[in-house]
Amino acid sequence: EPEVTQTPSHQVTQMGQEVILRCVPISNHLYFYWYRQILGQKVEFLVSFYNNEISEKSEIFDDQFSVERPDGSNFTLKIRSTKLEDSAMYFCARGNRGDPSGANVLTFGAGSRLTVL
Amino acid sequence: AQSVAQPEDQVNVAEGNPLTVKCTYSVSGNPYLFWYVQYPNRGLQFLLKYITGDNLVKGSYGFEAEFNKSQTSFHLKKPSALVSDSALYFCAVRAAYSGAGSYQLTFGKGTKLSVIP
């Protein structure tokens, strides 16, 4: 299975600015996810996306966050007005083909490091 | 709520010696358990999983893990460590498929494994 590609690898932004993180999974996969890891802490679930709709989201995923799949291939995470505590590594993931639940084994991207100043 | 504990931030082991990375979990009902590994500048890579069946699960690169229901543990093991095994290891849990509920993965905070030549 090809890897998941994430861009940018690192982004530095000022507090209050909008940030868009991009992920290119394989277009015929149905299940996509965003996770994040604050430095030294756990990898935390943000949101899952199934069949072009949000299927599940965590408490972290508040109104400042949104996800889209604008062109059927790219999968984006937008943070509307970044806060200092949004500084983290953000991981995109997809569910693998042949998995009946679509959620058992995930293929992750290398991550996008976001630094909010 | 489901949770994972990896009690060791770092594990050091000499090359050729057996290694163990510990993981305990909490989940409602039957668990699905996973180990992922992260090498520098790479995404999380799937190592192995326990869904059902034999308590001893074998995965990639000679790793194995033992599911212990009474101790709610899923420790990662390898009989003979290699320097190339040095990486960050994440344990993850989710509730088994039941037709409803949350299927997001919950990760531990990771254990850094250093194999000393």
Side-chain angles (χ1 to χ4, degrees):
Chain A
E1 294 270 10
E3 292 189 357
V4 173
T5 302
Q6 289 188 242
T7 58
S9 57
H10 188 194
Q11 182 159 355
V12 180
T13 189
Q14 295 291 323
M15 190 170 56
Q17 295 297 303
E18 177 181 282
V19 163
I20 297 177
L21 307 178
R22 291 182 172 81
C23 172
V24 183
I26 303 301
S27 60
N28 58 349
H29 285 79
L30 296 177
Y31 295 87
F32 305 103
Y33 307 80
W34 283 101
Y35 285 79
R36 80 172 185 188
Q37 184 182 28
I38 296 172
L39 186 63
Q41 298 185 27
K42 297 180 180 182
V43 176
E44 301 172 296
F45 169 77
L46 292 178
V47 65
S48 60
F49 198 76
Y50 168 67
N51 206 22
N52 294 326
E53 292 183 349
I54 290 176
S55 60
E56 190 174 7
K57 59 183 180 180
S58 71
E59 293 177 353
I60 304 168
F61 195 86
D62 60 21
D63 292 343
Q64 295 295 320
F65 291 89
S66 62
V67 288
E68 285 185 344
R69 200 176 175 201
D71 58 7
S73 177
N74 288 318
F75 182 46
T76 64
L77 175 70
K78 182 190 290 185
I79 309 174
R80 290 187 181 82
S81 178
T82 51
K83 304 185 288 287
L84 295 176
E85 54 265 36
D86 293 329
S87 295
M89 181 73 89
Y90 289 81
F91 293 103
C92 172
R94 59 167 169 78
N96 289 348
R97 282 178 290 187
D99 185 329
S101 74
N104 277 0
V105 176
L106 303 184
T107 298
F108 285 83
S112 293
R113 180 168 296 283
L114 175 65
T115 302
V116 182
L117 303 176
Chain B
Q2 52 199 39
S3 65
V4 172
Q6 293 181 243
E8 302 151 319
D9 291 335
Q10 177 144 0
V11 170
N12 297 320
V13 63
E15 187 176 24
N17 283 2
L19 69 87
T20 299
V21 182
K22 295 179 180 177
C23 171
T24 58
Y25 68 89
S26 173
V27 70
S28 297
N30 294 323
Y32 288 172
L33 293 155
F34 305 82
W35 277 99
Y36 283 81
V37 60
Q38 186 181 29
Y39 298 100
N41 302 316
R42 301 291 298 276
L44 282 75
Q45 297 178 31
F46 170 74
L47 266 184
L48 50 78
K49 66 178 179 181
Y50 170 83
I51 302 299
T52 186
D54 290 341
N55 289 342
L56 185 64
V57 178
K58 295 187 183 296
S60 307
Y61 312 119
F63 283 93
E64 59 188 28
E66 186 166 12
F67 169 60
N68 188 316
K69 188 172 184 177
S70 62
Q71 297 185 4
T72 61
S73 67
F74 190 56
H75 301 328
L76 181 70
K77 300 180 180 182
K78 186 173 182 179
S80 178
L82 300 173
V83 172
S84 57
D85 293 330
S86 298
L88 194 56
Y89 290 81
F90 293 93
C91 181
V93 69
R94 55 160 276 193
Y97 180 72
S98 64
S102 171
Y103 304 115
Q104 58 170 290
L105 284 182
T106 296
F107 285 86
K109 64 179 182 177
T111 298
K112 183 178 180 181
L113 174 67
S114 294
V115 180
I116 303 160

